[in-house]
Amino acid sequence: MIVLNIVISLFVIVLLQFAGMYVFSLMTPYRDMEEINKGNVAVGITMGGKFVATAIVLAIAAYSNSSIWHMSLWFAVGYVCLLATYWVFDWLTPGVKLSDQLKDGNVAVGTLLAAVYIGIALAISSLII
């Protein structure tokens, strides 16, 4: 029974991680994987930051909840905060259109945005605990 619970939990965690990455990819007007295949380092760095940030929120949600349902619920709450981070950050930087800068390969913007995602994920996670 314990093995079955572990397998189910692992499946749900992987599913939530990739679902989260899919939703993140819908937020940009370009296709993330196409840009990465073209060698766009800025998009690659940002996508890496999204992946790590999503994993942080998911890890804390899994660690601090004993049921898959509660874990998924807290992940959803944290994840909505991560999604809002992009829009708020874009709004707070009116002179810089994030999606255009990333598509143009601006590594500085990509690195900054990845760090913002990871920082917000750590802050959000402290609230989930």
Side-chain angles (χ1 to χ4, degrees):
M1 191 58 146
I2 291 174
V3 173
L4 180 63
N5 286 340
I6 291 172
V7 169
I8 291 170
S9 296
L10 184 59
F11 176 76
V12 170
I13 286 171
V14 170
L15 181 71
L16 288 173
Q17 177 72 32
F18 284 102
M21 292 307 297
Y22 176 73
V23 171
F24 255 131
S25 73
L26 295 176
M27 288 177 35
T28 54
Y30 52 82
R31 299 176 74 64
D32 291 331
M33 291 312 292
E34 282 180 15
E35 290 297 316
I36 290 171
N37 284 333
K38 289 183 205 174
N40 189 330
V41 176
V43 172
I45 290 169
T46 302
M47 191 161 178
K50 291 174 188 177
F51 192 87
V52 171
T54 303
I56 290 168
V57 172
L58 184 55
I60 296 301
Y63 179 75
S64 60
N65 291 284
S66 58
S67 78
I68 291 175
W69 173 247
H70 286 121
M71 175 195 71
S72 300
L73 215 106
W74 279 109
F75 171 71
V77 169
Y79 190 73
V80 166
C81 293
L82 280 178
L83 292 175
T85 297
Y86 177 83
W87 302 112
V88 169
F89 192 70
D90 199 29
W91 178 68
L92 289 174
T93 55
V96 178
K97 178 86 171 126
L98 295 177
S99 59
D100 292 344
Q101 293 293 319
L102 292 171
K103 187 163 172 57
D104 291 342
N106 188 332
V107 175
V109 170
T111 304
L112 177 62
L113 194 54
V116 167
Y117 283 136
I118 293 168
I120 291 295
L122 290 170
I124 292 166
S125 295
S126 71
L127 297 174
I128 292 173
I129 293 179

